[in-house]
Every structure is written in C-alpha cells, then in structure tokens.
Amino acid sequence: MTTRTESVPTPAGEARITWHPATAGKARLVLAVSHGAGGGIEARDLRALAAVLPARGITVALVEQPWRVAGKKVAAAPKVLDEGWRGLWPALTRPGPPVVAGGRSAGARVACRTAAELGAAGVLALAFPLHPPGRPEKSRAEELLGAGRPTLVVQGGRDPFGRPEEFPEPAGDDPYELVAVEHGDHGFAVPKRADRTQEQTLDVITGAVAGWLGRLSQ
C-alpha cells in the first residue's frame, strides 16, 4: 500500500496528513483520525486502523496537529487544537468521499466539538477522556453528547479517563454507540495475564470500527 504525506498550513501552524488510500476500489469514506495529547500517530490503535481499513474501501488519513509537527512536547489548548482541525478540514474533504472525523483521547474531543459545524459524516471517538483520572466530577460528557453526528466510542475496560460503565446513556437524534474493549487501558494495552492477546484486542477495535463505518456508508 502506497502512503502519502501532505503538509497543510493552518491558522495554528503547519499540520501533517499521512494518507493511507483505499485499496479495494474507489473509497467509500475517508476516516480522518488524530492523536492524543501524549503521543502521535504511532499509537497502536491508529496504526491498526490504517493497516486494516484501506482493504475495506476506507481511506485513512492520520492527522498530526501543528503542535506535534513543531516538535513541542505539550499539547496546545483546546481552542487551538480546534483551530488547527478546522484549518486542515478542506484538505480532508478534497478527495471527495464523505469524511468521518475521529481521534483518540484529546483528538476525540476535537472531533466531537467540531463535527457538526464541519459537516462530518460521523465521529469516531477512541479512548474518549470522559474525565481526568480520579476526577469523575470533571465530566466532559457534554462534548460527546453534543457531537450532533452518528458517533462510535471505543473505550478500554480499565481506562482511567473513563471506563465504559461510567458513560452516560446515549441520547438525542444521533445517540452514540459504545464498544467496550475488555482489559484495555487508555492506549488499549492489555496486561499479559489477560485472556486475550494484544493482537486480538486490536482485532476487536478494527472489526468494530469497520462494521460501524460499513453501516454508516450504506
């Protein structure tokens, strides 16, 4: 599979998109996913999606926010993250297929906050940080419930930023779906004593996302 990297100027600085084009005919959708505040597009779940989905007719665009491209170690403020995402959105829509906005952790929050205004076809929230660890009273559920688009949440069963059972009941015109990843932490790592391997865990994630995207594109 041939990948392509594109630099995109935004009001927040230069962003970068690594394209993994659909290999199974013409792309039905573009899945644009960004990283969290503590890492980049090398995250295991993002790499797994980029490896699996193109063969199912989905182009995957892995997005690096300007702060990451600039080599900074601390993520920008939420307002600046949103500004960068808005600035690169035209590059994501240029290929033509509908674009699903996604991300992991902080990237998922950005996707939720901007999806409706940008006209995203849906939202993929990987490891949504429902609250800071140990601070359930600092809930960010409003961002998730306010996405205004069909939304899939994929959440680790032992994620300190919010376990699946902590999430609110889906509501609204486009109630979100939630897939619980047994034993997974915030990065979907599973302990060696778990009854499933790391590879099997990633298969659960890619299978759930592929199925949801398939229904979304019908």
Side-chain angles (χ1 to χ4, degrees):
M1 180 175 62
T2 303
T3 62
R4 176 174 63 88
T5 301
E6 176 183 3
S7 294
V8 182
T10 81
E14 182 180 290
R16 189 159 52 214
I17 304 171
T18 301
W19 294 93
H20 296 259
T23 56
K26 184 178 179 181
R28 294 181 285 118
L29 290 171
V30 171
L31 173 63
V33 281
S34 189
H35 51 79
I41 60 172
E42 70 278 2
R44 59 172 60 84
D45 49 342
L46 302 187
R47 286 189 288 111
L49 291 171
V52 169
L53 294 180
R56 303 192 183 194
I58 307 294
T59 289
V60 177
L62 299 182
V63 176
E64 294 173 86
Q65 279 271 6
W67 69 270
R68 184 79 181 179
V69 175
K72 297 178 181 178
K73 294 184 178 180
V74 179
K79 181 179 179 180
V80 179
L81 295 178
D82 292 357
E83 189 177 49
W85 188 253
R86 291 187 187 99
L88 59 85
W89 190 257
L92 295 169
T93 60
R94 191 176 303 125
V99 181
V100 173
R104 72 163 354 271
S105 195
R109 295 181 65 193
V110 173
C112 288
R113 289 193 298 257
T114 60
E117 66 175 277
L118 294 174
V123 174
L124 174 63
L126 301 162
F128 185 84
L130 185 64
H131 57 70
R135 301 292 301 277
E137 74 280 4
K138 298 286 187 180
S139 177
R140 297 158 179 153
E142 187 175 333
E143 292 180 351
L144 175 63
L145 296 174
R149 290 292 185 271
T151 300
L152 177 68
V153 178
V154 182
Q155 202 74 10
R158 57 188 185 94
D159 190 333
F161 288 83
R163 298 184 304 278
E165 62 268 23
E166 295 182 78
F167 278 70
E169 286 294 319
D173 294 335
D174 288 302
Y176 70 89
E177 300 176 39
L178 189 147
V179 173
V181 180
E182 193 174 356
H183 307 299
D185 65 8
H186 194 56
F188 297 118
V190 297
K192 291 182 178 180
R193 65 180 182 277
D195 58 3
R196 67 172 49 152
T197 66
Q198 188 65 67
E199 184 177 355
Q200 289 171 328
T201 297
L202 291 174
D203 286 345
V204 169
I205 295 169
T206 57
V209 173
W212 177 73
L213 290 173
R215 296 191 300 274
L216 198 63
S217 63
Q218 288 178 350

